[in-house]
Amino acid sequence: MKIAVAKGDGIGPEIMDAVIGIFNAAKVPMDYVYVDMGKWVFDKGFSNGMTPEAKQTIEEVGILFKGPMETPKGKGVKSVNVTARKTWNTYANDRKFQTLSGVDTVFSKAGIPIDLTIVRENIEDTYGGIEHMLTQDVALGRRFITRPGSEQVIRYAFEMAKKKGARRITCGHKANIMKLTDGLFLEVFKEVAKEYPELKSDDVIVDDLCMKLVSRPDLFDVIVLTNLQGDIVSDLCAGLVGGLGFAPSANIGDHISIFEAVHGTAPDIAGKNIANPTSLLLSGLSMLRHLGLMEQAVMIENALLYTLESGVHTGDFGDKNIPAVNTTQFAQSIISNFGKQPAHHPKPFLPNFYVTPTNFKLEHNPMLQSDLREVHKIVGVDFFIESAEQPQKIADKCLLHATDKLKLVTITNRGTQVWPSGSVFTNLVNQYYCRFEADNENVVSQDQVIDLYRSLAKDFQICSLELLNMWADKKAYSLAQGQ
Ligand code: NAI
């Protein structure tokens, strides 16, 4: 079984050598193809941080095991980590957080065991990076949540929860505020949940989820979230089990998956052979399990847990009364503990089942097809305009351009209605949106929208516009606060 390995920058080569050394000692049946990715590849002039040969190898073998990589600052280049996740559509970020003996936390001291998996959507949301300055004072970001994208990650979470025998699967969201975006994610979660009646599923608003996670993390098992909320909640969970050094990360796609440490390149300790390889090792163990190499994964994980329990530690954690070991000694310790069982939470033996990554080329895009066939119509338009005038002045001008077909219904500033009614206490910035709608949800043509654009542009600088859509009798836009 071949996998691609990119050692990474900073402490990357040290911790990768330590982990591959452990895999070799455990006779993991894998061939490693080393590929060129990271800062020095950027420096050689490859703007995406990887050589074409690296890209080809990864696409052929389907699995990338990577160390941390540095993104050069201020050169206008994008993070190679994010590029890799997006290019290969690794839509599910799976991060496991568990109590590790020898890694003291408030929960381990209180005897509360943690065994959590956060599945974070990895492609969409604000990470599309679609942002525009509407005026010099106002920036606007777009947030994509799609039905097929949500379904992919939610289905992965349910399948994983089922295989793991999870006690509970929870959707974290903010659908009470973001009714269309988070609302869609939650709707898809509830639809997919119907296919898994054997799993206990529920949903929790993300702020409440954070509060519950820091007080009773043991009540949760698998949690699935949108990208940004998942990013934040997963680091919160890393804190619950002792920090990023103990948090593995798997980026799962249908054809290519990436396993990596979540911490950075630690330039302050690079080259000193003192870095902690645990996060990369745990990510490597997720990789072995993903590939069906259960026997080796269990043996190495039990040896790691035994090693931690016996107090062996690198300088970044553990009992300060016991001298720290270096990276190589830590790895050697794990190897010498092969076959030993930890006293707490030993992993059960499971036989291997090999999964060979398929040699795959995407010839069509299945997510382009939608089964939904509701009748669509445009019933209005929001014009985003730049203006430093008071709402009534703006309304007076807009009313001159409104037509019988498209009537002015509301003006808002930062999402809060300021016309026809509002409060003098609402603070204003120099960008409004003015909503024009047809009476009785009548159909509006794109030509009518363009005519109104031309007319309004005589009086205003228009920054952007957004059509007001309806599918069947469902409004596909939010109301202004106070409308
Ligand atoms: P960092 O995670 O590299 O370091 C933060 C602190 O944690 C440092 O004191 C470091 O010594 C310590 N640390 C991190 N990993 C450790 C380990 N395995 N063992 C012992 N101590 C460890 O974060 P920082 O300094 O913000 O970022 C440094 C570089 O890493 C940046 O260029 C950044 O772009 C990159 N980075 C890469 C990531 C990736 O490849 N996935 C993720 C995060 C940052």
Side-chain angles (χ1 to χ4, degrees), residues 173-176 178-188:
H173 63 86
K174 194 73 185 169
N176 54 329
M178 292 174 278
K179 294 190 165 63
L180 297 186
T181 47
D182 273 34
L184 177 58
F185 193 77
L186 179 59
E187 182 186 318
V188 174

Side-chain angles (χ1 to χ4, degrees), residues 11 14-16 18-19 22-23 65 96 98 100-103 241-249 260-263 274-286 300-301 303-305 307-308 312-317 325-327 330-331 334:
I11 57 168
E14 300 158 49
I15 55 174
M16 187 60 85
V19 171
I22 294 170
F23 284 2
F65 188 31
K96 305 215 180 310
Q98 57 176 326
L100 296 166
S101 304
V103 183
V241 296
L244 292 180
F246 302 96
S249 172
E260 61 182 343
V262 283
H263 55 72
I274 56 170
N276 178 0
T278 306
S279 171
L280 189 65
L281 178 60
L282 288 168
S283 303
L285 296 178
S286 298
I300 299 171
E301 187 158 5
L304 165 70
L305 296 175
T307 306
L308 293 171
V312 177
H313 66 93
T314 46
D316 55 311
F317 76 103
V325 297
N326 66 29
T327 312
F330 189 75
I334 294 171

Side-chain angles (χ1 to χ4, degrees), residues 11 66 68-70 81 261-269 275-276 316:
I11 57 168
K66 66 175 278 295
M69 289 176 193
E70 184 182 333
N81 305 308
V262 283
H263 55 72
T265 59
D268 50 337
I269 57 166
N276 178 0
D316 55 311

